[in-house]
């Protein structure tokens, strides 16, 4: 499982001109699920996302987590995070999980993040063509891969 986290002042995601998810201060999480992923990846990654100290606080610029600041999370599925560009100029997504495998893990991630955060999170719409708007705060952008545990 791969995730790109962006610390934001605000963000929203729209499908066909309709806003389906929006947050104020918090994190936008772009999530890519691959065939080899399992619920262990969901648990590890969700805990990492909610616990990362990437927000400023009284103890310094990197002293609080999204949970500690009362921030929000916008979770968006993005299979293109598993693009392979090794051959030629057309990306291949052969490692990205098919919907029958990816949807349950995406839904598990949504539920786990809500549980750890203690409140609902916003989401995009799985499989839809989405438009994402955000105000990156910092900017702060992190990449996490559950296979590398980094």
């Amino acid at each position: 499982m791969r995730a790109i986290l962006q610390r934001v002042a605000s963000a929203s995601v729209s499908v066909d001109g309709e806003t389906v998810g929006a947050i104020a201060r918090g994190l936008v999480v772009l999530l890519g699920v691959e065939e080899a992923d399992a619920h262990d990846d969901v648990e590890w990654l969700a805990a990492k996302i909610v616990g990362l100290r990437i927000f400023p606080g009284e103890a310094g610029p990197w002293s609080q987590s999204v949970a500690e600041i009362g921030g929000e999370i916008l979770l968006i599925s993005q299979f293109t995070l598993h693009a392979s560009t090794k051959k030629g100029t057309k990306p291949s997504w052969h490692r990205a999980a098919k919907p029958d495998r990816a949807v349950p893990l995406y839904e598990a991630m949504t539920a786990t993040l809500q549980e750890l955060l203690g409140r609902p999170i916003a989401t995009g719409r799985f499989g839809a063509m989405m438009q994402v708007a955000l105000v990156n705060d910092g900017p702060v952008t992190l990449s996490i891969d559950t296979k590398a545990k980094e």
Side-chain angles (χ1 to χ4, degrees), residues 21-53:
I23 63 169
R25 186 176 186 213
L27 294 173
V28 169
V29 179
L30 305 174
L31 181 71
V33 179
E34 68 177 302
E35 286 296 332
D37 289 331
H39 283 280
D40 297 8
D41 296 290
V42 170
E43 298 295 326
W44 183 87
L45 184 55
K48 182 65 79 173
I49 290 167
V50 172
L52 275 174
R53 295 180 180 276

Side-chain angles (χ1 to χ4, degrees), residues 24-89:
R25 186 176 186 213
L27 294 173
V28 169
V29 179
L30 305 174
L31 181 71
V33 179
E34 68 177 302
E35 286 296 332
D37 289 331
H39 283 280
D40 297 8
D41 296 290
V42 170
E43 298 295 326
W44 183 87
L45 184 55
K48 182 65 79 173
I49 290 167
V50 172
L52 275 174
R53 295 180 180 276
I54 58 174
F55 291 89
E58 290 182 20
W62 307 100
S63 62
Q64 292 190 301
S65 69
V66 67
E68 292 169 322
I69 67 157
E72 299 178 278
I73 294 175
L74 172 57
L75 179 67
I76 300 169
S77 64
Q78 189 167 353
F79 75 93
T80 61
L81 291 178
H82 289 288
S84 173
T85 57
K86 189 173 184 176
K87 293 182 181 180
T89 57

Side-chain angles (χ1 to χ4, degrees), residues 125-140:
R125 191 171 293 155
F126 190 94
M129 182 63 78
M130 296 175 272
Q131 292 73 47
V132 181
L134 59 91
V135 177
N136 198 319
D137 181 24
V140 175

Side-chain angles (χ1 to χ4, degrees), residues 90-104:
K90 183 179 179 187
S92 167
W93 289 280
H94 66 277
R95 287 182 47 205
K98 304 291 182 269
D100 64 325
R101 176 115 179 99
V103 169

